[in-house]
């Protein structure tokens, strides 16, 4: 980061915030008060697909669009990319930096004007040679920017040149030392840039017809920085885990701060600058060139790293500068290149028309030096690409999989640490293995499974308990996982589709919508099923009104067990057969509420397992519709009786009615538009309590807290959470098999998502007791099983049992 003299005038640092669990020593000075960045979003695995609470609060709070917010965003960017001081009321706030990224091109223009002034003074005033003038301008650029982007170029070169997997590349890139690749690429970059500016010659400032090095400096400084907002908006931001992780962790969801409107603004300002210098046509060509660079560089970033990060963006800006300087230089020789293009086109036309033989035309064509050079270059590039694709080690995207899944492969032997290769099946070695942050979830899970196989029991004899034990130990990174402090979160809401037909609903349930409210009242008074089960299993119970229809009389809850959410959907959802169930804002509200309630429960109660449940007449119909729209499954394979009035739980008339309702909803919304689109599906046919559970599961997964999943509705929410973030699948413990057919479809989808992402898929439901009550009852009933799974790792090993000494030893 470029030094900033304005920091000398900053306010005293606040007290240190919560510890992040890192081992690095804190610096005595920081860009923000201690704890500020940490509180705005610690780096977590795969947290790109959902807008976190911190981002939501920033967007709708201090970062909300206003004149002063934009001014602060601009100066935040200015202080970040230059060494020049800014106003004392501006700091390096990561949120304002991301929102202010649309001002990157404007800051580039100002830097370009500053640098080009020295170029023109050296050349036009002092009559120094063009090369010396170009060197002076480059030194000026390095001084004013503090080598900000050049540092990223060097680090990226070291990482890409020296790393073999994405993890190794990131590790090298975040190392502050300069390596051979970095030195080499910096040298090439400096020489190329200095030479290109010098060749462009003396500056000539004419509106729309500028020439020379000065205008090129301004335009390239402007347009090269346009790639940053474009790439941040269209790519995931990688959790780099480097020495500056506390600052950059906020960037993981940067795409939600760099909106499309901001990217368009940056593009328009860049186009205006380019058009003023070179005219509209050439300006458009340069903008198109930047878009092409942003796309291909983003593709390469996805291939290498899984997304973009600070150093890589800096490297792309540097490369784009040289790239644009080259294009500007070629503007002066476009007639030569146009002639070359015409020669090649005429060759293909003559061969196609049969006017001449391909061999004869090729000989004539290759006699042209320009064509022959182009032919050689294309041939060499194609040959090199084919060689790299088919010879030697696997490509980057396959290397991680090879390293993880083929322990006997020579490649794996060369890569893994001694601890990973030589780990023995003892508790102490396993504890060390689990604690090692270099091991991912799959590696930890498999290590625990191997350890369980060594215990004094037949291999796999504890069935689902072994999966749960492995999952719990891997998530908590401990051979003594805990489930002593469990919280149950129940979300309650009404559904428009469940209302009577006379009230605009579809009457999808055997029970009226008013029953939902009565059940919540029972919970508030400790009389409902979940109240009893929670008490007998020593589980903290919290019930959140996320969308109950209050009707004429608003119900006042006690606040001890039941309380309304701050983000409550007033009146519940709408009938999704003739409108959207919720607006996009309401979906965001519900997901955010689920995350907030889960975070609050984890923080206040220090819970180590979360049970999710729901109350909402009609939500089996909603769940079936969600699965049908998201997976394309036939409604008849998803619909059951729901809350039935008969003891056997079967009501054929209700099933038939629900199938018709689901089909009508699909016809109204269009299934093809929403397949695999969780947010759109929730907006179209979702339920408030389902969306809240989705948010809760996302939050629990991010905090590494296992989730006990109840029946059909909870499994639907789990499927949607996994579609948003596949890493949620590692935290899921399916408690009970529902009588609803759709649950197995949801679990199958979760299994596919997990396997696609190389995550061990969760076992099927543990309990097969025909439970169909809701309220998280199956999850509450399974709490003792979770505690038993935790105890499983305390079983002695087979070796320990066989080595026991005593008189009562039976011999075969």
């Amino acid at each position: 980061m470029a030094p900033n003299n304005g920091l000398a005038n900053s306010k005293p640092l606040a007290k240190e915030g919560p510890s992040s669990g890192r081992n690095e020593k804190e610096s005595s000075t920081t860009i923000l008060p201690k704890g500020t960045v940490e509180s705005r979003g610690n780096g977590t695995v795969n947290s790109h697909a959902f807008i976190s609470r911190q981002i939501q609060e920033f967007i709708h709070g201090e970062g909300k669009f206003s004149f002063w917010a934009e001014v602060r965003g601009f100066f935040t960017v200015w202080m970040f990319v230059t060494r020049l001081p800014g106003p004392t009321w501006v700091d390096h706030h990561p949120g304002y930096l991301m929102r202010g990224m649309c001002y990157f091109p404007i800051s580039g223009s100002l830097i370009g004007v500053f640098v080009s002034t020295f170029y023109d003074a050296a050349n036009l005033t002092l009559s120094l040679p063009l090369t010396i003038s170009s060197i002076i301008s480059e030194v000026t650029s390095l001084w004013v920017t503090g080598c900000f982007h050049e540092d990223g170029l060097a680090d990226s070169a070291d990482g890409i040149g020296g790393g073999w997997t994405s993890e190794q590349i990131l590790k090298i890139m975040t190392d502050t030392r300069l390596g051979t690749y970095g030195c080499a690429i910096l040298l090439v970059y400096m020489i190329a840039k200095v030479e290109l500016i010098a060749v462009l010659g003396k500056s000539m400032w004419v509106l729309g017809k500028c020439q020379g090095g000065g205008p090129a400096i301004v335009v390239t400084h402007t347009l090269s920085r346009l790639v940053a907002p474009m790439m941040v908006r269209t790519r995931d931001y990688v959790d780099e885990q480097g020495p500056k992780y506390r600052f950059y962790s906020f960037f993981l969801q940067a795409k939600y701060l760099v909106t499309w409107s901001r990217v368009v603004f940056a593009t328009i300002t860049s186009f205006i600058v380019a058009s003023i210098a070179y005219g509209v046509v050439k300006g458009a060509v340069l903008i198109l060139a930047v878009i092409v660079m942003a796309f291909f560089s983003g593709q390469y970033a996805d291939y290498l790293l899984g997304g973009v990060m600070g150093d890589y963006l800096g490297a792309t800006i540097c490369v784009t500068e040289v790239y644009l300087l080259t294009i500007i230089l070629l503007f002066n020789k476009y007639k030569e290149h146009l002639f070359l293009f015409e020669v090649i086109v005429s060759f293909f036309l003559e061969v196609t028309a049969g006017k001449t033989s391909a061999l004869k035309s090729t000989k004539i064509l290759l006699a042209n030096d320009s064509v022959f050079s182009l032919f050689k270059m294309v041939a060499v590039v194609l040959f090199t690409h084919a060689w790299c694709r088919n010879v030697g080690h696997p490509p980057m995207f396959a290397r991680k999989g090879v390293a993880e899944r083929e322990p006997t492969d020579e490649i794996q032997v060369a890569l893994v640490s001694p601890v990973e290769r030589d780990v023995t099946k003892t508790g102490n070695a396993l504890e060390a293995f689990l604690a090692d942050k270099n091991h991912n979830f799959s590696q930890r899970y498999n290590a625990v499974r191997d350890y369980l196989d060594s215990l004094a029991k037949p291999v796999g004899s504890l069935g689902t308990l072994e999966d749960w034990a492995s999952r719990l130990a891997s998530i908590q990174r401990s051979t003594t996982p805990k489930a002593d402090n469990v919280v149950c979160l129940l979300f309650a809401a009404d559904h428009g589709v469940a209302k009577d037909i006379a009230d605009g609903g579809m009457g999808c349930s055997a029970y009226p919508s008013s029953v939902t409210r009565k059940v919540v009242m029972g919970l508030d008074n400790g009389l409902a099923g979940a109240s009893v089960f929670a008490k007998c299993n020593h589980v903290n119970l919290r019930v959140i009104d996320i969308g109950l229809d209050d009707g004429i009389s608003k119900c006042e809850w006690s606040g001890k067990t039941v309380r309304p959410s701050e983000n409550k959907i007033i009146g519940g959802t709408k009938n999704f057969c003739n409108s959207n169930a919720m607006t996009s804002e309401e979906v965001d509200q519900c997901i955010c509420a689920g995350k907030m309630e889960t975070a609050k429960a984890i923080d206040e109660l220090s819970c180590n397992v979360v049970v999710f449940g729901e109350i909402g007449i009609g939500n089996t119909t909603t769940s079936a519709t969600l699965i049908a729209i998201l997976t394309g499954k036939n409604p008849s394979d998803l619909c059951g009786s729901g809350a039935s009035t008969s003891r056997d739980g079967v009501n054929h008339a209700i099933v038939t009615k629900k199938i018709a309702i689901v089909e009508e909803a699909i016809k109204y919304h269009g299934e093809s538009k929403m397949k695999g689109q969780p947010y759109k599906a929730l907006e179209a046919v979702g339920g408030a309590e389902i969306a809240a559970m989705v948010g809760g599961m996302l939050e629990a997964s991010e905090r590494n807290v296992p989730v006990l999943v109840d029946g059909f509705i909870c499994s639907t929410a789990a499927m949607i959470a996994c579609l948003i973030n596949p890493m949620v699948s590692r935290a899921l413990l399916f408690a009970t098999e529902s009588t609803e057919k759709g649950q197995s479809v949801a679990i199958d989808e979760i299994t596919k998502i997990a396997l696609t992402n190389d995550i061990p898929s969760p076992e099927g439901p543990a309990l097969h007791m025909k439970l169909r009550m809701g309220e998280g009852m199956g999850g509450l009933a399974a709490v003792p099983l979770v505690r038993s799974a935790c105890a499983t790792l305390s079983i002695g090993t087979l070796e320990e049992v066989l080595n026991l000494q005593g008189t009562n030893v039976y011999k075969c």
Side-chain angles (χ1 to χ4, degrees), residues 619-624 627 635 637-644 649-651 654-655 658 711-713 715-716 736-747 770-773:
N619 58 14
T620 54
T621 303
T622 299
S623 295
I627 295 175
D637 296 329
L638 302 170
C639 293
S641 299
S644 177
V650 178
N651 189 326
I654 287 293
V655 173
K658 287 171 66 174
F712 177 42
I713 294 94
S715 297
T716 303
T736 179
E737 181 182 60
S738 172
T739 57
E740 295 289 314
K741 294 183 289 185
Q743 186 196 28
S744 62
V745 176
I747 293 175
K770 300 181 181 179
L771 302 181
R772 51 186 173 85
M773 183 172 170

Side-chain angles (χ1 to χ4, degrees), residues 725-807:
N725 183 355
M727 289 301 290
V728 172
S729 63
R730 71 198 169 97
L732 302 179
L733 310 173
F734 288 101
T736 179
E737 181 182 60
S738 172
T739 57
E740 295 289 314
K741 294 183 289 185
Q743 186 196 28
S744 62
V745 176
I747 293 175
D748 287 345
E749 287 298 315
I750 292 170
T751 299
K752 291 177 186 176
I753 292 169
L755 295 177
T756 301
N757 290 274
D758 294 325
I759 301 168
S761 59
E763 290 280 343
L767 299 175
H768 301 267
M769 301 174 70
K770 300 181 181 179
L771 302 181
R772 51 186 173 85
M773 183 172 170
E775 297 181 39
M777 293 292 282
L780 289 167
V783 168
L785 292 179
V786 179
R787 291 169 177 156
S788 298
C790 291
T792 300
L793 286 156
S794 298
I795 297 174
T797 65
L798 184 61
E799 183 180 359
E800 288 171 337
V801 172
L802 292 176
N803 288 334
L804 289 174
Q805 300 296 321
T807 56

Side-chain angles (χ1 to χ4, degrees), residues 675-695:
K675 192 171 183 180
Q677 300 290 325
Y679 288 105
K680 289 183 180 179
L682 285 171
E683 181 181 341
V685 299
E689 81 278 36
I690 295 173
M693 287 193 293
V694 169

Side-chain angles (χ1 to χ4, degrees), residues 504-797:
M506 302 297 290
C508 65
S509 175
Y511 290 91
S513 291
S514 59
V515 171
T516 303
R517 188 172 176 181
K518 293 296 183 182
V519 173
V520 177
M521 292 173 69
L523 288 163
D524 203 30
N525 288 277
L527 300 175
S531 305
V532 176
F533 272 37
K535 185 176 180 180
C536 78
N537 287 301
H538 307 289
V539 172
N540 292 287
L541 177 64
R542 293 185 173 187
V543 184
I544 300 95
D545 172 6
I546 186 66
L548 288 179
D549 187 356
D550 292 323
I552 299 174
S553 59
K554 185 176 181 180
C555 191
E556 296 294 334
W557 306 116
S558 67
K560 295 179 181 178
T561 302
V562 183
R563 57 184 177 78
S565 169
E566 296 174 0
N567 293 336
K568 176 177 175 176
I569 304 301
I570 304 300
T573 59
K574 297 178 179 62
N575 180 2
F576 55 61
C577 286
N578 53 34
S579 68
N580 278 352
M582 294 182 280
T583 65
S584 60
E585 291 78 14
E586 288 174 334
V587 172
D588 290 340
Q589 277 181 239
C590 292
I591 292 178
C592 189
K595 286 183 73 73
M596 290 174 68
E597 294 294 343
T598 305
K600 189 182 296 183
I602 294 171
D603 292 338
E604 292 177 357
L605 303 175
S606 300
C607 66
N608 33 42
V609 176
V610 179
V611 180
F612 285 104
E614 37 62 40
I615 310 105
I617 293 297
N619 58 14
T620 54
T621 303
T622 299
S623 295
T625 310
L626 279 166
I627 295 175
I629 275 185
L630 286 167
T631 67
K633 297 292 184 182
N634 193 308
S636 61
D637 296 329
L638 302 170
C639 293
S641 299
S644 177
T645 55
S646 63
R647 186 174 295 176
D648 62 4
V650 178
N651 189 326
H652 295 294
I654 287 293
V655 173
T656 302
K657 187 175 186 178
K658 287 171 66 174
I659 292 172
I661 290 171
V662 174
E663 289 175 342
E664 186 173 341
I666 292 172
K667 184 178 179 180
Y668 177 80
H669 293 283
E671 175 188 346
S672 60
K673 297 178 182 178
M674 297 179 206
K675 192 171 183 180
Q677 300 290 325
Y679 288 105
K680 289 183 180 179
L682 285 171
E683 181 181 341
V685 299
E689 81 278 36
I690 295 173
M693 287 193 293
V694 169
M697 292 177 190
L698 289 165
E699 181 72 16
S701 174
E702 288 183 6
R703 288 170 172 260
N704 292 318
V705 176
V707 173
L708 253 178
V709 183
D710 192 34
F712 177 42
I713 294 94
C714 292
S715 297
T716 303
M719 183 192 80
I720 295 172
C722 290
L723 283 170
I724 294 173
N725 183 355
M727 289 301 290
V728 172
S729 63
R730 71 198 169 97
L732 302 179
L733 310 173
F734 288 101
T736 179
E737 181 182 60
S738 172
T739 57
E740 295 289 314
K741 294 183 289 185
Q743 186 196 28
S744 62
V745 176
I747 293 175
D748 287 345
E749 287 298 315
I750 292 170
T751 299
K752 291 177 186 176
I753 292 169
L755 295 177
T756 301
N757 290 274
D758 294 325
I759 301 168
S761 59
E763 290 280 343
L767 299 175
H768 301 267
M769 301 174 70
K770 300 181 181 179
L771 302 181
R772 51 186 173 85
M773 183 172 170
E775 297 181 39
M777 293 292 282
L780 289 167
V783 168
L785 292 179
V786 179
R787 291 169 177 156
S788 298
C790 291
T792 300
L793 286 156
S794 298
I795 297 174
T797 65

Side-chain angles (χ1 to χ4, degrees), residues 1-3 80-81 138 141-142 145-159 172-179 181-183 185-186 189-190 240 243-244 248 309-319 321:
M1 186 181 299
F80 195 73
V81 300
E138 184 58 19
S141 175
L142 296 176
T145 63
C147 300
F148 184 63
H149 301 310
E150 288 76 11
D151 174 70
L153 177 65
D155 287 340
S156 298
D158 282 332
I172 296 171
M173 287 173 73
T174 52
D175 189 330
T176 56
R177 292 169 292 184
L178 182 62
Y181 286 102
C183 290
I185 201 68
L186 278 177
Y189 166 74
M190 293 294 181
E240 51 194 89
K244 295 178 281 189
Y248 287 112
M309 43 89 75
D311 284 336
Y312 188 86
L313 290 174
T316 303
I317 288 172
C318 289
V319 172
E321 272 194 79

Side-chain angles (χ1 to χ4, degrees), residues 1-19:
M1 186 181 299
N4 183 2
N5 299 330
L7 291 177
N9 299 321
S10 59
K11 297 177 182 179
L13 298 179
K15 292 182 179 180
E16 186 172 0
S19 171

Side-chain angles (χ1 to χ4, degrees), residues 316-475:
T316 303
I317 288 172
C318 289
V319 172
T320 305
E321 272 194 79
V322 175
Y323 165 67
L324 291 174
L325 284 169
T326 305
I327 292 174
I328 291 171
L329 181 62
L330 293 176
F331 280 157
N332 300 326
K333 300 183 178 182
Y334 76 94
K335 291 184 179 179
E336 298 177 19
H337 304 301
L338 183 62
F339 173 74
L340 176 62
F341 176 75
E342 290 173 349
V343 168
I344 296 173
V345 170
S346 63
F347 159 73
F348 283 106
L349 290 176
E350 288 181 4
V351 172
T352 304
K355 294 181 179 180
T356 181
S357 66
L359 180 61
K360 182 179 179 181
S361 296
T362 302
K363 288 181 179 179
I364 296 172
L365 190 65
L366 294 182
N368 184 303
D369 290 340
S370 299
V371 175
F372 183 64
S373 298
L374 178 63
F375 176 80
K376 282 196 301 180
M377 186 188 76
V378 171
V380 168
V381 169
L382 291 176
F383 176 79
T384 304
H385 177 72
W387 180 271
C388 293
R389 292 284 295 180
N390 298 286
V391 179
H393 294 312
M396 181 66 64
F397 56 79
R399 294 176 189 174
K400 182 178 179 181
V402 170
E404 290 180 356
R405 293 192 293 270
E406 300 183 14
T408 59
D409 196 289
E410 292 180 4
I411 299 172
Q412 169 73 358
V413 172
L415 284 177
V416 297
S417 65
V419 173
E420 189 170 344
R421 289 199 307 271
D422 301 332
V423 62
T424 58
K425 293 177 180 178
T426 66
N428 291 336
L430 180 62
E431 188 74 41
F433 188 90
L434 293 175
D436 191 338
K437 65 179 182 180
N438 292 317
H439 298 136
N440 63 28
F441 175 80
S442 297
Q443 292 169 318
R444 300 194 303 273
Y445 177 89
N446 291 328
V448 178
R449 289 305 297 249
D450 289 343
Y451 177 73
L452 289 172
D453 289 344
S454 73
L455 301 184
K457 62 175 183 58
V459 174
S461 58
L462 289 178
T464 300
L465 286 178
E466 295 194 23
D467 171 75
W468 285 17
S470 302
R471 214 163 281 277
L472 290 159
S474 302
I475 290 175

